[in-house]
Amino acid sequence: MVLIKIGFSNIMGKHMKYYKNKWNLIPEKIRFLITGMFGVFIGGFIYVIIYKFNPLETYKATTSWVLAFLLGILRQHALHYFFTFTEISVPYLNSLYGAFKAYSFNLVWSTALIHFLNEQVKLDYRISWFITVAISVPLSYILLKKLSFGVNKI
């Protein structure tokens, strides 16, 4: 039984290494977009769930955004740490601290934007979420590279 597990583990390890090498051939910016889109899809689903269960009537979209955003920092950082910035040597917790710094800046301006889009422009909360996320992607890439993953070249 142990030999079967070891053999299976070796086979899986070889396949995973093969796919990881293929994945790493994709340019970093493209990996960032692919990984980010996957995380954003999950984040959008979480945002809608939080919105639906948010008991606040005043500023419901804004408070849902903040909570979903804070949860998203952990998710997005892990995705980018393991799948986007694969050639870094920054320890995970140090990188996570940098991600919180990078995303904190995004949280401030994006909360103001989503509040404006929902409360002043009266857009649907899902449309304002999409607009806000789309605008934040380039800034997130730059800030994460510098503050979380210790890469100065963009």
Side-chain angles (χ1 to χ4, degrees), residues 79-96:
L79 287 170
H80 289 308
Y81 187 88
F82 292 110
F83 297 108
T84 300
F85 301 105
T86 56
E87 308 210 359
I88 59 157
S89 59
V90 178
Y92 186 83
L93 290 178
N94 292 1
S95 180
L96 182 60

Side-chain angles (χ1 to χ4, degrees), residues 94-114:
N94 292 1
S95 180
L96 182 60
Y97 174 70
F100 268 96
K101 289 193 302 188
Y103 283 125
S104 292
F105 177 74
N106 271 352
L107 178 61
V108 172
W109 75 263
S110 65
T111 300
L113 176 61
I114 207 161

Side-chain angles (χ1 to χ4, degrees), residues 15-39:
H15 289 296
M16 293 307 290
K17 188 173 185 177
Y18 170 79
Y19 288 113
K20 183 177 180 185
N21 289 338
K22 287 287 190 188
W23 175 254
N24 288 339
L25 292 175
I26 298 171
E28 182 182 89
K29 289 177 183 169
I30 303 299
R31 288 194 316 258
F32 180 82
L33 289 173
I34 294 168
T35 304
M37 283 190 296
F38 178 72

Side-chain angles (χ1 to χ4, degrees), residues 38-102:
F38 178 72
V40 164
F41 176 76
I42 295 168
F45 182 71
I46 291 170
Y47 174 67
V48 169
I49 290 172
I50 291 171
Y51 183 88
K52 294 292 184 193
F53 289 100
N54 187 343
L56 301 175
E57 287 302 318
T58 306
Y59 308 125
K60 186 173 186 170
T62 305
T63 55
S64 299
W65 167 261
V66 171
L67 182 55
F69 193 101
L70 292 171
L71 291 172
I73 292 173
L74 298 170
R75 179 192 62 254
Q76 291 300 105
H77 173 263
L79 287 170
H80 289 308
Y81 187 88
F82 292 110
F83 297 108
T84 300
F85 301 105
T86 56
E87 308 210 359
I88 59 157
S89 59
V90 178
Y92 186 83
L93 290 178
N94 292 1
S95 180
L96 182 60
Y97 174 70
F100 268 96
K101 289 193 302 188

